[in-house]
Amino acid sequence: MIELRSIHKQFGTVKALQGVNLRVRPGSIHGIIGENGAGKSTLMKILTGFISRTSGTITFDGREISLKTPEEARSLGIGMLYQEPLDFPQLSVLDNFMAAAADGNPARQQQVLARLCEKFGFELKPKACQEKLTVGERQQVELMRLIRDKCKVLILDEPTTGISQEQQELLFEALKKLRDEGTAIILVSHKLAEIHSLCDRVTVLRHGKQAGEQERPFDEKGLLQAMFDTLPTKSSRPAQKKIGRPILRMDTVSTKAGRVGLHQVNVTINEGEMVGLAGLDGSGQSVFLQIAYGLLEPEQGRVSTPVAEKDVVMRVFLPADRLREGLIAGLTIREHHLLAGKSPFFLTAASGRTTAEQAINTYSIHGTPATTAERLSGGNQQRLLLSLIPEEARLILLEHPTRGLDVQSGQWTWQHLRAHLPENGAIVFASPDIEDIMEQAARVLVFFNGRILLDRPTDQTSYREVSLAITGRV
Amino acid sequence: MEISIAVLSAGIAASAAPLLLAALGETLTEKAGIINLSLDGTILLSAMTGFVIAARFDSLPAGFAAAAATGMLSSLVLVIISIYLGQSQVAVGFALTFLCRDLAYFLGAPFARTAGPQLSISPIPLLADLPFVGPILFHHSLVVYSSFLALPLAWFFIYHTPQGLILRCVGENPEGCWARGIRPRIVQAAYTLIGGALVGLAGAAFSLAIKPGWGRPQGCEGIGWIALALVIFGGWHPLRVALGAYLFGFLQMLGILLQDVFPTIPAQIFQVAPFPLMIFTLVLIHLGRNSKGKKLLLLRLLSGNAPGSLGKNYRQV
């Protein structure tokens, strides 16, 4: 049994954790739930020694432990699956599996890997380069490594972010097996559905403090109340806007780019439409968006904007990796607005300040004009990106618009997008979450293996039909 | 003038030996994610200490040991200031290379053009008498033999031992290593020091074997920069780095030979020619590597990526 008592953590002047208690029994799955920035990841990193705590005690099987380094955590059998896999992309799967293993014999390790893969139903090629793997597969490699090291306390930080439905099912099966074998599992999440399907007990964190604890069966309303100051309201599907002229047309567009490419895609997007792209990660949605935006040239076929004979259709693209592809990590909010707008010839400390302040107010970004993008939380990064979209934009393309956002930020993003759907424009977004698409979009395109298998208004199809199409069955 | 391939090859193997040692040392350091730009100055400084100590104590082993220690000492500056105090590796490396160079000329001035010991050729019995292969591989000084040994050892160590795997992991993603219970900064410090020792040996290889003696210029100036370039163009792979070192040796030998063929061309041109030729060749290789479509087998063998966290200081939370 592992027990944390009144854990405090301070980063400079920011109090990330204020007296959190946690007790996890072996053979159980304990959920940690809370908004972004509630202190979940910090608490877990303290438990693995990755960062050190400011104060508080940790006991393991009744013995007090210092837990100042991951080395110590590892020798005790505490292991963690980080949200962004902390692996070695240029090395092979086997090398990643073997790194820092007690037994460095490649042949034996390969056997161990094969045996574990078989046990959990994973398919991993030991010689493949880690870089070529999906996030879900990289996670599997990490999980196998922790299991090999006889991990007694297994921590998973938002493990279902960016992985496919099938991979999620495999992961959950694996976790149940491990629990039955006596592992203490801690699952960090902000998705209530995951907590419901897996956890025996759950602790709610809010603003670095413990806001509640529940045994199964959970009372959903109580959990939500503990998580948020104000309850997020579920929005109903927006009224269908008037459909106008075609704004973007793809004629038999094909390319080999991406993991599966794109084959013979014929699509017309019309003014006033909100289109959701469904499909397993890497089934062609990203390539579709990149071609629509003009980042990629199709190898065959034609992309046209029929509506625009003289005037140009202004497009914007918000990629999934916000900090790396969408924003510039080290630039401030003010500088982002200077870059996006018309900037004066000489820049002074005051230039762009008012625009930035306006954006901060209207988009409720938690920061000042001088805050750099990398110091904003995921939700605020998304708000900053949305605030940078010029008013003239007519085709707004988004990849995973709510990735890594908590429920409130996610709701805010959807409301904002719907409110700003231009009269003479359209919004196209890709999302791994079928529910989001069914709720928000007026039309759904389902991608499978680089083809569009289903193209239908969302009120003429069902969750079941879409989820079947995602796996290739129509 | 008749020149046999065997004699030419033997010359290349000998003249490339110090370059190879230095480049392998830097490869080890950079595999751990640390750039040591001080190579050129360090080679010169350790060439000087190696020569002076060997002359003073009339002992070649003492000279080589002193040179290796000098290399380690120089890289210790980088270890402390960059790895542990978090300052820019590039800035520290640059400052260090010029500091070492000036220190070498200043401290070594009294010993310039003085007599000193020199490593002799020690042919390996029986093997040296083999036709063709004998003179190329087995009729050299100990420096050249050790360069022959260092190459496969470095390759095997990096790619086929658990320690080598940790080395590659640290250069790739120190955070991931920290999470696995490895202390990345200790690993980085260790390989910076080991790399420094090899660079130091390269310095002594010049002043005690390949270009014996000490003076200003010593004759090894510029080699450190070539070694740095070789590591990059060799894609951080010891075998490809070695290929580059031998290519440079070949160009140097070619310069000497062509000087006899074209006596009217000023000798300086042939002395300098290997450097631009080397850059030209490496650019050609690099262009080939980046071109789309089918790649030649040789070019495919030469491709390689930089360690993921090369040049970035790792900060422990």
PDB file of all heavy atoms in Angstrom, chain A residues 264-295:
ATOM      1  N   GLN A 264      -8.621   8.978 -54.166  1.00  0.00           N
ATOM      2  CA  GLN A 264      -9.832   9.310 -54.933  1.00  0.00           C
ATOM      3  C   GLN A 264     -10.881  10.005 -54.082  1.00  0.00           C
ATOM      4  O   GLN A 264     -12.019   9.555 -53.993  1.00  0.00           O
ATOM      5  CB  GLN A 264     -10.448   8.022 -55.510  1.00  0.00           C
ATOM      6  CG  GLN A 264      -9.518   7.220 -56.374  1.00  0.00           C
ATOM      7  CD  GLN A 264      -9.370   7.810 -57.761  1.00  0.00           C
ATOM      8  OE1 GLN A 264     -10.303   8.358 -58.319  1.00  0.00           O
ATOM      9  NE2 GLN A 264      -8.185   7.728 -58.327  1.00  0.00           N
ATOM     10  N   VAL A 265     -10.496  11.120 -53.487  1.00  0.00           N
ATOM     11  CA  VAL A 265     -11.441  11.813 -52.624  1.00  0.00           C
ATOM     12  C   VAL A 265     -12.227  12.855 -53.413  1.00  0.00           C
ATOM     13  O   VAL A 265     -11.646  13.690 -54.102  1.00  0.00           O
ATOM     14  CB  VAL A 265     -10.698  12.472 -51.444  1.00  0.00           C
ATOM     15  CG1 VAL A 265     -11.579  13.480 -50.729  1.00  0.00           C
ATOM     16  CG2 VAL A 265     -10.236  11.405 -50.477  1.00  0.00           C
ATOM     17  N   ASN A 266     -13.557  12.759 -53.384  1.00  0.00           N
ATOM     18  CA  ASN A 266     -14.436  13.741 -54.007  1.00  0.00           C
ATOM     19  C   ASN A 266     -15.304  14.350 -52.928  1.00  0.00           C
ATOM     20  O   ASN A 266     -16.143  13.659 -52.355  1.00  0.00           O
ATOM     21  CB  ASN A 266     -15.360  13.076 -55.041  1.00  0.00           C
ATOM     22  CG  ASN A 266     -14.585  12.586 -56.235  1.00  0.00           C
ATOM     23  OD1 ASN A 266     -13.926  13.363 -56.912  1.00  0.00           O
ATOM     24  ND2 ASN A 266     -14.650  11.287 -56.473  1.00  0.00           N
ATOM     25  N   VAL A 267     -15.091  15.610 -52.628  1.00  0.00           N
ATOM     26  CA  VAL A 267     -15.858  16.249 -51.569  1.00  0.00           C
ATOM     27  C   VAL A 267     -16.127  17.697 -51.950  1.00  0.00           C
ATOM     28  O   VAL A 267     -15.282  18.346 -52.562  1.00  0.00           O
ATOM     29  CB  VAL A 267     -15.080  16.207 -50.233  1.00  0.00           C
ATOM     30  CG1 VAL A 267     -15.740  17.094 -49.201  1.00  0.00           C
ATOM     31  CG2 VAL A 267     -15.008  14.800 -49.700  1.00  0.00           C
ATOM     32  N   THR A 268     -17.300  18.168 -51.596  1.00  0.00           N
ATOM     33  CA  THR A 268     -17.578  19.597 -51.730  1.00  0.00           C
ATOM     34  C   THR A 268     -18.014  20.122 -50.376  1.00  0.00           C
ATOM     35  O   THR A 268     -18.903  19.560 -49.735  1.00  0.00           O
ATOM     36  CB  THR A 268     -18.697  19.838 -52.743  1.00  0.00           C
ATOM     37  OG1 THR A 268     -18.332  19.182 -53.957  1.00  0.00           O
ATOM     38  CG2 THR A 268     -18.864  21.321 -53.011  1.00  0.00           C
ATOM     39  N   ILE A 269     -17.345  21.167 -49.916  1.00  0.00           N
ATOM     40  CA  ILE A 269     -17.719  21.815 -48.653  1.00  0.00           C
ATOM     41  C   ILE A 269     -18.451  23.107 -49.019  1.00  0.00           C
ATOM     42  O   ILE A 269     -17.983  23.861 -49.873  1.00  0.00           O
ATOM     43  CB  ILE A 269     -16.465  22.142 -47.820  1.00  0.00           C
ATOM     44  CG1 ILE A 269     -15.557  20.922 -47.678  1.00  0.00           C
ATOM     45  CG2 ILE A 269     -16.854  22.755 -46.478  1.00  0.00           C
ATOM     46  CD1 ILE A 269     -15.948  19.939 -46.634  1.00  0.00           C
ATOM     47  N   ASN A 270     -19.604  23.324 -48.366  1.00  0.00           N
ATOM     48  CA  ASN A 270     -20.407  24.492 -48.711  1.00  0.00           C
ATOM     49  C   ASN A 270     -20.369  25.547 -47.627  1.00  0.00           C
ATOM     50  O   ASN A 270     -20.051  25.266 -46.457  1.00  0.00           O
ATOM     51  CB  ASN A 270     -21.861  24.063 -48.937  1.00  0.00           C
ATOM     52  CG  ASN A 270     -21.960  23.008 -50.018  1.00  0.00           C
ATOM     53  OD1 ASN A 270     -21.502  23.214 -51.140  1.00  0.00           O
ATOM     54  ND2 ASN A 270     -22.515  21.859 -49.663  1.00  0.00           N
ATOM     55  N   GLU A 271     -20.734  26.754 -48.011  1.00  0.00           N
ATOM     56  CA  GLU A 271     -20.812  27.856 -47.053  1.00  0.00           C
ATOM     57  C   GLU A 271     -21.822  27.515 -45.959  1.00  0.00           C
ATOM     58  O   GLU A 271     -22.883  26.958 -46.244  1.00  0.00           O
ATOM     59  CB  GLU A 271     -21.257  29.138 -47.753  1.00  0.00           C
ATOM     60  CG  GLU A 271     -20.185  29.737 -48.629  1.00  0.00           C
ATOM     61  CD  GLU A 271     -20.707  30.936 -49.419  1.00  0.00           C
ATOM     62  OE1 GLU A 271     -21.931  31.022 -49.657  1.00  0.00           O
ATOM     63  OE2 GLU A 271     -19.884  31.772 -49.792  1.00  0.00           O
ATOM     64  N   GLY A 272     -21.501  27.872 -44.739  1.00  0.00           N
ATOM     65  CA  GLY A 272     -22.426  27.664 -43.637  1.00  0.00           C
ATOM     66  C   GLY A 272     -22.356  26.263 -43.039  1.00  0.00           C
ATOM     67  O   GLY A 272     -23.121  25.944 -42.131  1.00  0.00           O
ATOM     68  N   GLU A 273     -21.445  25.426 -43.519  1.00  0.00           N
ATOM     69  CA  GLU A 273     -21.380  24.049 -43.014  1.00  0.00           C
ATOM     70  C   GLU A 273     -20.358  23.909 -41.895  1.00  0.00           C
ATOM     71  O   GLU A 273     -19.323  24.561 -41.900  1.00  0.00           O
ATOM     72  CB  GLU A 273     -20.996  23.094 -44.154  1.00  0.00           C
ATOM     73  CG  GLU A 273     -22.177  22.537 -44.891  1.00  0.00           C
ATOM     74  CD  GLU A 273     -21.764  21.428 -45.837  1.00  0.00           C
ATOM     75  OE1 GLU A 273     -20.681  21.499 -46.420  1.00  0.00           O
ATOM     76  OE2 GLU A 273     -22.549  20.495 -45.984  1.00  0.00           O
ATOM     77  N   MET A 274     -20.667  23.038 -40.956  1.00  0.00           N
ATOM     78  CA  MET A 274     -19.712  22.639 -39.921  1.00  0.00           C
ATOM     79  C   MET A 274     -19.506  21.147 -40.139  1.00  0.00           C
ATOM     80  O   MET A 274     -20.421  20.344 -39.926  1.00  0.00           O
ATOM     81  CB  MET A 274     -20.337  22.912 -38.548  1.00  0.00           C
ATOM     82  CG  MET A 274     -19.486  22.523 -37.397  1.00  0.00           C
ATOM     83  SD  MET A 274     -18.780  23.978 -36.593  1.00  0.00           S
ATOM     84  CE  MET A 274     -18.297  23.313 -35.028  1.00  0.00           C
ATOM     85  N   VAL A 275     -18.308  20.775 -40.605  1.00  0.00           N
ATOM     86  CA  VAL A 275     -18.058  19.394 -41.006  1.00  0.00           C
ATOM     87  C   VAL A 275     -17.089  18.730 -40.046  1.00  0.00           C
ATOM     88  O   VAL A 275     -16.036  19.290 -39.729  1.00  0.00           O
ATOM     89  CB  VAL A 275     -17.479  19.341 -42.441  1.00  0.00           C
ATOM     90  CG1 VAL A 275     -17.304  17.903 -42.895  1.00  0.00           C
ATOM     91  CG2 VAL A 275     -18.373  20.097 -43.403  1.00  0.00           C
ATOM     92  N   GLY A 276     -17.445  17.545 -39.571  1.00  0.00           N
ATOM     93  CA  GLY A 276     -16.564  16.793 -38.695  1.00  0.00           C
ATOM     94  C   GLY A 276     -15.907  15.645 -39.453  1.00  0.00           C
ATOM     95  O   GLY A 276     -16.580  14.941 -40.196  1.00  0.00           O
ATOM     96  N   LEU A 277     -14.594  15.474 -39.258  1.00  0.00           N
ATOM     97  CA  LEU A 277     -13.892  14.367 -39.896  1.00  0.00           C
ATOM     98  C   LEU A 277     -13.645  13.295 -38.840  1.00  0.00           C
ATOM     99  O   LEU A 277     -12.946  13.539 -37.864  1.00  0.00           O
ATOM    100  CB  LEU A 277     -12.556  14.823 -40.481  1.00  0.00           C
ATOM    101  CG  LEU A 277     -12.569  16.080 -41.366  1.00  0.00           C
ATOM    102  CD1 LEU A 277     -11.153  16.378 -41.867  1.00  0.00           C
ATOM    103  CD2 LEU A 277     -13.510  15.902 -42.547  1.00  0.00           C
ATOM    104  N   ALA A 278     -14.218  12.114 -39.040  1.00  0.00           N
ATOM    105  CA  ALA A 278     -14.038  11.034 -38.076  1.00  0.00           C
ATOM    106  C   ALA A 278     -13.076  10.006 -38.657  1.00  0.00           C
ATOM    107  O   ALA A 278     -12.818   9.983 -39.854  1.00  0.00           O
ATOM    108  CB  ALA A 278     -15.380  10.387 -37.762  1.00  0.00           C
ATOM    109  N   GLY A 279     -12.568   9.138 -37.797  1.00  0.00           N
ATOM    110  CA  GLY A 279     -11.670   8.082 -38.253  1.00  0.00           C
ATOM    111  C   GLY A 279     -10.607   7.817 -37.219  1.00  0.00           C
ATOM    112  O   GLY A 279     -10.387   8.622 -36.317  1.00  0.00           O
ATOM    113  N   LEU A 280      -9.962   6.638 -37.318  1.00  0.00           N
ATOM    114  CA  LEU A 280      -8.845   6.326 -36.431  1.00  0.00           C
ATOM    115  C   LEU A 280      -7.726   7.296 -36.740  1.00  0.00           C
ATOM    116  O   LEU A 280      -7.630   7.812 -37.852  1.00  0.00           O
ATOM    117  CB  LEU A 280      -8.355   4.897 -36.671  1.00  0.00           C
ATOM    118  CG  LEU A 280      -9.332   3.796 -36.302  1.00  0.00           C
ATOM    119  CD1 LEU A 280      -8.731   2.447 -36.644  1.00  0.00           C
ATOM    120  CD2 LEU A 280      -9.650   3.871 -34.823  1.00  0.00           C
ATOM    121  N   ASP A 281      -6.877   7.551 -35.738  1.00  0.00           N
ATOM    122  CA  ASP A 281      -5.760   8.452 -35.927  1.00  0.00           C
ATOM    123  C   ASP A 281      -4.958   8.045 -37.154  1.00  0.00           C
ATOM    124  O   ASP A 281      -4.600   6.891 -37.304  1.00  0.00           O
ATOM    125  CB  ASP A 281      -4.861   8.386 -34.680  1.00  0.00           C
ATOM    126  CG  ASP A 281      -4.649   9.762 -34.101  1.00  0.00           C
ATOM    127  OD1 ASP A 281      -5.343  10.696 -34.553  1.00  0.00           O
ATOM    128  OD2 ASP A 281      -3.797   9.901 -33.218  1.00  0.00           O
ATOM    129  N   GLY A 282      -4.704   8.997 -38.060  1.00  0.00           N
ATOM    130  CA  GLY A 282      -3.869   8.708 -39.220  1.00  0.00           C
ATOM    131  C   GLY A 282      -4.570   7.961 -40.320  1.00  0.00           C
ATOM    132  O   GLY A 282      -3.939   7.218 -41.068  1.00  0.00           O
ATOM    133  N   SER A 283      -5.888   8.107 -40.446  1.00  0.00           N
ATOM    134  CA  SER A 283      -6.602   7.438 -41.536  1.00  0.00           C
ATOM    135  C   SER A 283      -6.771   8.344 -42.749  1.00  0.00           C
ATOM    136  O   SER A 283      -7.476   8.009 -43.683  1.00  0.00           O
ATOM    137  CB  SER A 283      -7.985   6.985 -41.076  1.00  0.00           C
ATOM    138  OG  SER A 283      -7.858   6.104 -40.002  1.00  0.00           O
ATOM    139  N   GLY A 284      -6.163   9.514 -42.705  1.00  0.00           N
ATOM    140  CA  GLY A 284      -6.234  10.430 -43.841  1.00  0.00           C
ATOM    141  C   GLY A 284      -6.817  11.786 -43.505  1.00  0.00           C
ATOM    142  O   GLY A 284      -6.778  12.700 -44.326  1.00  0.00           O
ATOM    143  N   GLN A 285      -7.347  11.947 -42.275  1.00  0.00           N
ATOM    144  CA  GLN A 285      -7.971  13.224 -41.930  1.00  0.00           C
ATOM    145  C   GLN A 285      -6.953  14.363 -41.953  1.00  0.00           C
ATOM    146  O   GLN A 285      -7.237  15.436 -42.499  1.00  0.00           O
ATOM    147  CB  GLN A 285      -8.592  13.180 -40.525  1.00  0.00           C
ATOM    148  CG  GLN A 285      -9.508  12.033 -40.255  1.00  0.00           C
ATOM    149  CD  GLN A 285      -8.763  10.925 -39.541  1.00  0.00           C
ATOM    150  OE1 GLN A 285      -7.758  10.432 -40.046  1.00  0.00           O
ATOM    151  NE2 GLN A 285      -9.258  10.528 -38.392  1.00  0.00           N
ATOM    152  N   SER A 286      -5.769  14.115 -41.367  1.00  0.00           N
ATOM    153  CA  SER A 286      -4.770  15.176 -41.315  1.00  0.00           C
ATOM    154  C   SER A 286      -4.316  15.556 -42.712  1.00  0.00           C
ATOM    155  O   SER A 286      -4.161  16.732 -43.026  1.00  0.00           O
ATOM    156  CB  SER A 286      -3.566  14.721 -40.498  1.00  0.00           C
ATOM    157  OG  SER A 286      -3.955  14.547 -39.178  1.00  0.00           O
ATOM    158  N   VAL A 287      -4.107  14.558 -43.558  1.00  0.00           N
ATOM    159  CA  VAL A 287      -3.687  14.826 -44.933  1.00  0.00           C
ATOM    160  C   VAL A 287      -4.768  15.625 -45.653  1.00  0.00           C
ATOM    161  O   VAL A 287      -4.478  16.577 -46.374  1.00  0.00           O
ATOM    162  CB  VAL A 287      -3.398  13.502 -45.664  1.00  0.00           C
ATOM    163  CG1 VAL A 287      -3.028  13.762 -47.113  1.00  0.00           C
ATOM    164  CG2 VAL A 287      -2.288  12.752 -44.968  1.00  0.00           C
ATOM    165  N   PHE A 288      -6.024  15.265 -45.418  1.00  0.00           N
ATOM    166  CA  PHE A 288      -7.147  15.973 -46.014  1.00  0.00           C
ATOM    167  C   PHE A 288      -7.106  17.454 -45.626  1.00  0.00           C
ATOM    168  O   PHE A 288      -7.203  18.346 -46.465  1.00  0.00           O
ATOM    169  CB  PHE A 288      -8.457  15.335 -45.546  1.00  0.00           C
ATOM    170  CG  PHE A 288      -9.703  16.008 -46.057  1.00  0.00           C
ATOM    171  CD1 PHE A 288     -10.248  15.623 -47.271  1.00  0.00           C
ATOM    172  CD2 PHE A 288     -10.318  17.021 -45.340  1.00  0.00           C
ATOM    173  CE1 PHE A 288     -11.406  16.241 -47.749  1.00  0.00           C
ATOM    174  CE2 PHE A 288     -11.460  17.641 -45.809  1.00  0.00           C
ATOM    175  CZ  PHE A 288     -12.002  17.246 -47.026  1.00  0.00           C
ATOM    176  N   LEU A 289      -6.911  17.709 -44.330  1.00  0.00           N
ATOM    177  CA  LEU A 289      -6.871  19.092 -43.861  1.00  0.00           C
ATOM    178  C   LEU A 289      -5.684  19.838 -44.445  1.00  0.00           C
ATOM    179  O   LEU A 289      -5.792  21.001 -44.839  1.00  0.00           O
ATOM    180  CB  LEU A 289      -6.796  19.121 -42.329  1.00  0.00           C
ATOM    181  CG  LEU A 289      -8.071  18.739 -41.596  1.00  0.00           C
ATOM    182  CD1 LEU A 289      -7.825  18.649 -40.100  1.00  0.00           C
ATOM    183  CD2 LEU A 289      -9.171  19.753 -41.876  1.00  0.00           C
ATOM    184  N   GLN A 290      -4.551  19.144 -44.517  1.00  0.00           N
ATOM    185  CA  GLN A 290      -3.355  19.807 -45.041  1.00  0.00           C
ATOM    186  C   GLN A 290      -3.519  20.145 -46.516  1.00  0.00           C
ATOM    187  O   GLN A 290      -3.038  21.180 -46.978  1.00  0.00           O
ATOM    188  CB  GLN A 290      -2.125  18.934 -44.815  1.00  0.00           C
ATOM    189  CG  GLN A 290      -1.652  18.978 -43.373  1.00  0.00           C
ATOM    190  CD  GLN A 290      -0.584  17.970 -43.072  1.00  0.00           C
ATOM    191  OE1 GLN A 290       0.126  17.523 -43.965  1.00  0.00           O
ATOM    192  NE2 GLN A 290      -0.457  17.598 -41.815  1.00  0.00           N
ATOM    193  N   ILE A 291      -4.184  19.283 -47.266  1.00  0.00           N
ATOM    194  CA  ILE A 291      -4.429  19.570 -48.679  1.00  0.00           C
ATOM    195  C   ILE A 291      -5.437  20.716 -48.807  1.00  0.00           C
ATOM    196  O   ILE A 291      -5.258  21.637 -49.595  1.00  0.00           O
ATOM    197  CB  ILE A 291      -4.918  18.303 -49.418  1.00  0.00           C
ATOM    198  CG1 ILE A 291      -3.751  17.337 -49.603  1.00  0.00           C
ATOM    199  CG2 ILE A 291      -5.523  18.669 -50.774  1.00  0.00           C
ATOM    200  CD1 ILE A 291      -4.097  16.057 -50.288  1.00  0.00           C
ATOM    201  N   ALA A 292      -6.468  20.682 -47.970  1.00  0.00           N
ATOM    202  CA  ALA A 292      -7.474  21.743 -48.021  1.00  0.00           C
ATOM    203  C   ALA A 292      -6.842  23.093 -47.714  1.00  0.00           C
ATOM    204  O   ALA A 292      -7.208  24.115 -48.293  1.00  0.00           O
ATOM    205  CB  ALA A 292      -8.595  21.450 -47.035  1.00  0.00           C
ATOM    206  N   TYR A 293      -5.886  23.091 -46.818  1.00  0.00           N
ATOM    207  CA  TYR A 293      -5.238  24.343 -46.445  1.00  0.00           C
ATOM    208  C   TYR A 293      -4.201  24.766 -47.476  1.00  0.00           C
ATOM    209  O   TYR A 293      -3.924  25.952 -47.631  1.00  0.00           O
ATOM    210  CB  TYR A 293      -4.571  24.189 -45.073  1.00  0.00           C
ATOM    211  CG  TYR A 293      -3.921  25.444 -44.563  1.00  0.00           C
ATOM    212  CD1 TYR A 293      -4.666  26.600 -44.358  1.00  0.00           C
ATOM    213  CD2 TYR A 293      -2.553  25.491 -44.292  1.00  0.00           C
ATOM    214  CE1 TYR A 293      -4.069  27.763 -43.891  1.00  0.00           C
ATOM    215  CE2 TYR A 293      -1.953  26.645 -43.825  1.00  0.00           C
ATOM    216  CZ  TYR A 293      -2.719  27.779 -43.624  1.00  0.00           C
ATOM    217  OH  TYR A 293      -2.122  28.924 -43.161  1.00  0.00           O
ATOM    218  N   GLY A 294      -3.626  23.781 -48.176  1.00  0.00           N
ATOM    219  CA  GLY A 294      -2.598  24.097 -49.164  1.00  0.00           C
ATOM    220  C   GLY A 294      -1.198  23.788 -48.688  1.00  0.00           C
ATOM    221  O   GLY A 294      -0.226  24.145 -49.327  1.00  0.00           O
ATOM    222  N   LEU A 295      -1.077  23.107 -47.547  1.00  0.00           N
ATOM    223  CA  LEU A 295       0.248  22.709 -47.061  1.00  0.00           C
ATOM    224  C   LEU A 295       0.806  21.594 -47.913  1.00  0.00           C
ATOM    225  O   LEU A 295       2.008  21.463 -48.081  1.00  0.00           O
ATOM    226  CB  LEU A 295       0.151  22.223 -45.616  1.00  0.00           C
ATOM    227  CG  LEU A 295       0.210  23.258 -44.508  1.00  0.00           C
ATOM    228  CD1 LEU A 295       0.071  22.586 -43.162  1.00  0.00           C
ATOM    229  CD2 LEU A 295       1.505  24.045 -44.573  1.00  0.00           C
TER     230      LEU A 295
END
